[in-house]
Amino acid sequence: MTSTGRVRLEMDRAAGATVATLVLDDPTRRNAMGRAMYATIPDLVAEVDGNPDVRVLVLRGEGPTAFCAGSDISEFRAHRLGDAHPGYEEVERRATDALASCRVPVVACIRGACMGGGIGLALAADLRYAAADAVFSVPPGRLGIGYPLDAAERLVAVVGRSSATELLLTARRLGADEALRIGLVHEVVPADRLDEVVAERCTTIASLAPMTLRAARAALAGRPDAAALTDACFHSADLVEGITAVEEPRRPELDNR
């Protein structure tokens, strides 16, 4: 059986700039990710990167019951057994790497189940906001698969070695409040307010200086271009605008990309 889900790209406006949204769309399977769904993400992120008006990218699942229940197990026999698994892992890795290297900040909006490959996608985001009904698990031990090395590294980077070890070696489920406590998510809100809160955070991000955010994300990721991006901020029109806005005073209009 092959997944019939898709990942679709939507555009909206916030704070005078475009907010793009990647929607994991297969609600009958709790938005489980098929191989073809992973494969579409790099091209969709490239479309976001190619649109100079986009200031934020949101990642979410279709419907109220799941962000992503993980990779589609119905495909595992064909694509993850034996020597077939490296090809599958490469497709998944390209998807998460595309999100992690996106030109603009990436925000994960998490409701319901966020399991396995779903956590892998969420970890590739810069910020993760969860509804109170969110449930998290890293369950490869329940399936007998090897957890991808890049996903393990991101998990350790976000929650620390101690929490990552416990998650991987017990495969237990965490509620939203515990996910917040270990740093897996940044904020937990009532489910009926999640969209509102994420929209507010995106509006804030979209109002800030794009070059400054790009430099900060590069520094946080330890990328070799971080120093050059940081230096470029001091030669930007946005810095002039920021100083002028403080002097006048007024709200700055920051748009130097």
Side-chain angles (χ1 to χ4, degrees):
M1 186 180 295
T2 300
S3 170
T4 57
R6 61 176 180 148
V7 181
R8 68 178 194 272
L9 179 62
E10 298 177 346
M11 299 288 184
D12 200 356
R13 303 289 294 181
T18 297
V19 174
T21 301
L22 281 182
V23 182
L24 313 178
D25 186 1
D26 195 357
T28 61
R29 296 173 184 253
R30 297 196 303 165
N31 302 319
M33 291 290 292
R35 192 173 188 272
M37 293 172 70
Y38 281 121
T40 63
I41 288 179
D43 287 341
L44 294 175
V45 173
E47 187 175 338
V48 170
D49 285 344
N51 185 335
D53 293 330
V54 174
R55 302 285 280 269
V56 188
L57 174 62
V58 175
L59 180 66
R60 67 182 307 132
E62 176 63 32
T65 62
F67 171 77
C68 174
S71 299
D72 188 350
I73 296 174
S74 70
E75 295 186 347
F76 282 16
R77 191 172 295 277
H79 296 297
R80 295 195 90 169
L81 275 178
D83 292 339
H85 84 88
Y88 187 100
E89 262 78 68
E90 177 65 13
V91 171
E92 189 175 357
R93 184 193 63 77
R94 287 176 182 171
T96 53
D97 283 356
L99 290 168
S101 61
C102 183
R103 178 181 58 83
V104 298
V106 180
V107 176
C109 177
I110 303 168
R111 281 206 66 180
C114 182
M115 311 287 186
I119 284 187
L121 292 171
L123 288 171
D126 298 286
L127 297 166
R128 290 165 292 280
Y129 298 105
D133 64 2
V135 180
F136 303 84
S137 180
V138 187
R142 296 184 186 278
L143 298 170
I145 65 173
Y147 197 56
L149 297 183
D150 60 313
E153 290 171 356
R154 284 198 177 99
L155 184 63
V156 170
V158 169
V159 304
R161 182 170 298 276
S162 177
S163 291
T165 299
E166 202 263 349
L167 288 171
L168 279 165
L169 297 190
T170 68
R172 71 181 183 87
R173 295 188 175 193
L174 280 65
D177 288 339
E178 188 171 2
L180 177 64
R181 180 181 62 78
I182 67 172
L184 184 56
V185 300
H186 294 86
E187 188 174 356
V188 174
V189 300
D192 61 359
R193 290 201 62 237
L194 181 62
D195 290 345
E196 175 189 351
V197 169
V198 169
E200 289 173 356
R201 302 297 179 267
C202 289
T203 296
T204 298
I205 293 168
S207 72
L208 302 177
M211 288 183 68
T212 298
L213 300 188
R214 196 171 306 130
R217 292 170 69 232
L220 289 167
R223 284 174 18 208
D225 59 345
L229 289 170
T230 300
D231 180 70
C233 295
F234 293 95
H235 303 274
S236 69
D238 272 352
L239 178 55
V240 175
E241 166 64 10
I243 294 170
T244 303
V246 170
E247 292 171 341
E248 290 190 351
R250 58 175 172 79
R251 187 181 297 275
E253 297 182 5
L254 303 169
D255 195 34
N256 193 191
R257 289 163 267 186

